[in-house]
Amino acid sequence: VGVAKPVIRGMSLNRVVVVEQGVKQEGQQWGADHGLELDGFNIERVELLKGPGALAFGTDAIGGVVHIKAPTLPDAGSYRAELAYSYQSNNDLQAASALASGNKNGYVWRVRLTHQAYADYRLPADQFRYNRYVLPLYDRRLKNTAGRERHASLLAGLERQWGHIWLTGSVFHQESGLFTGAFGTPRPAQLTPDGDVWDIALPAMRTTHLKAILNAQILLNARDWLEVDAGLQHNLRRELAQPHQHGYTFTLPSEESLRLELTTATLNVRYQQHWIPRLDGVLGASANRQQNRRGGYEFFLPDFELVNGGVFLYEKYAP
């Protein structure tokens, strides 16, 4: 639960770019068990981009771009409120989300709060096989797969005839247990029920994603306009476990096996121009700076600094 990766024609992970409000989502997306730090309730529609148009979001979008669209803002002088609830029986998931937004004299705002919790997964099986050993699944549940998620986002902005400026801030936090049978060497004693299908024991993962996005669109004349999308993201992923080797468990002062801390600053500028009849074009530039810091008693990725940028020109001919 909470771990989903978009796949486009067999390509995923770093080959597929996920964009929210014009800014590329930057977390630990290279791992198959690293989900998207997004609030599913805060998505109104999804656009899929492939081919030359995907280059506007970076050269790593080989598979394509999944563009997340947030709920539209209310018309001038109106307000909107929404309450949503979801339930899933396979893990007793319960989720609730509240939305409030408004538009008064061109001043727009939107607030969303989401909370969800889920218990250990149910499966139509009472045993599984690991390294030629048959191990039990008590009560047909995957022990220690429960979790909790909390999301909050706030948008404030200004809309005028010359365009708009929006500033959005959001926080995503997830805590989830990791099934013992998928972490190290499982033993029957570790699979015994603890009497609580909602608790989160070791091993577990905790992820916090903070994000601030500035969107601006400025009309330059009747046909041309300038778009600016700037983002600052801080992704912290922690995996907690006791050290193990060949079925033996050791004790260390810290239970933090892996700590991945990624800070990303992004700037995208696009000029929508119509210089030549029958040609619609976009002239753009993008820059990206990342800083990765690691911790924990396991080594997975080194500390690194990354700076990249590029320019592009995209023209579309209409006969």
Side-chain angles (χ1 to χ4, degrees):
V1 170
V3 179
K5 308 293 290 189
V7 179
I8 301 176
R9 295 182 180 176
M11 286 184 277
S12 185
L13 306 178
N14 284 348
R15 295 177 179 268
V16 173
V17 170
V18 177
V19 175
E20 183 185 30
Q21 292 184 226
V23 174
K24 177 183 175 183
Q25 181 77 8
E26 288 287 0
Q28 307 295 339
Q29 60 261 33
W30 45 266
D33 59 337
H34 302 162
L36 297 174
E37 299 86 359
L38 298 173
D39 183 357
F41 286 96
N42 203 41
I43 298 175
E44 185 168 276
R45 71 181 191 272
V46 177
E47 293 180 352
L48 179 63
L49 304 177
K50 285 186 62 65
L55 294 177
F57 296 94
T59 57
D60 52 345
I62 300 174
V65 176
V66 179
H67 200 174
I68 305 296
K69 298 288 188 176
T72 56
L73 294 168
D75 296 331
S78 62
Y79 300 90
R80 177 186 177 189
E82 175 185 295
L83 183 62
Y85 175 81
S86 177
Y87 173 78
Q88 297 179 13
S89 61
N90 60 344
N91 61 348
D92 300 317
L93 179 144
Q94 300 183 59
S97 182
L99 168 73
S101 58
N103 185 338
K104 184 176 182 181
N105 299 326
Y107 294 97
V108 296
W109 56 273
R110 182 177 63 217
V111 180
R112 180 178 288 277
L113 300 174
T114 301
H115 175 80
Q116 72 175 17
Y118 44 90
D120 294 340
Y121 248 96
R122 290 188 178 92
L123 285 180
D126 53 15
Q127 63 184 22
F128 71 102
R129 187 180 300 273
Y130 179 88
N131 196 22
R132 295 180 298 179
Y133 290 95
V134 177
L135 299 172
L137 289 175
Y138 295 98
D139 300 325
R140 296 194 171 189
R141 284 187 182 263
L142 286 178
K143 181 183 177 183
N144 197 37
T145 54
R148 294 181 293 270
E149 293 184 14
R150 294 182 293 274
H151 321 282
S153 64
L154 171 64
L155 179 147
L158 178 66
E159 293 186 347
R160 291 290 187 265
Q161 291 184 348
W162 48 260
H164 67 255
I165 298 177
W166 301 332
L167 179 62
T168 306
S170 64
V171 56
F172 169 99
H173 182 74
Q174 180 189 49
E175 300 177 61
S176 179
L178 297 172
F179 176 52
T180 306
F183 197 96
T185 303
R187 293 178 292 177
Q190 296 173 315
L191 302 173
T192 304
D194 54 13
D196 187 356
V197 297
W198 292 90
D199 71 327
I200 302 175
L202 297 180
M205 62 179 180
R206 296 175 185 172
T207 303
T208 301
H209 193 92
L210 307 175
K211 180 161 55 177
I213 298 178
L214 174 66
N215 303 112
Q217 185 181 85
I218 302 173
L219 299 178
L220 302 178
N221 51 54
R223 301 185 63 191
D224 300 345
W225 65 90
L226 180 68
E227 295 178 351
V228 178
D229 300 315
L232 181 62
Q233 302 176 67
H234 181 77
N235 183 274
L236 174 60
R237 177 183 173 89
R238 302 171 61 208
E239 293 188 3
L240 309 177
Q242 293 180 346
H244 57 274
Q245 182 179 9
H246 301 297
Y248 295 97
T249 302
F250 305 91
T251 301
L252 287 180
S254 173
E255 295 176 339
E256 190 174 74
S257 63
L258 191 64
R259 180 187 180 94
L260 300 171
E261 193 168 1
L262 181 68
T263 302
T264 305
T266 305
L267 176 63
N268 300 318
V269 180
R270 295 179 297 276
Y271 176 42
Q272 308 278 347
Q273 43 78 21
H274 304 80
W275 294 327
I276 304 175
R278 297 184 180 276
L279 280 180
D280 293 336
V282 182
L283 176 62
S286 62
N288 186 62
R289 184 182 186 275
Q290 286 187 328
Q291 180 188 71
N292 185 74
R293 293 292 179 264
R294 59 163 294 274
Y297 59 79
E298 291 184 351
F299 183 84
F300 213 64
L301 280 181
D303 294 345
F304 67 80
E305 305 275 348
L306 173 66
V307 177
N308 58 34
V311 296
F312 69 91
L313 175 62
Y314 177 74
E315 295 285 351
K316 183 172 63 175
Y317 175 72

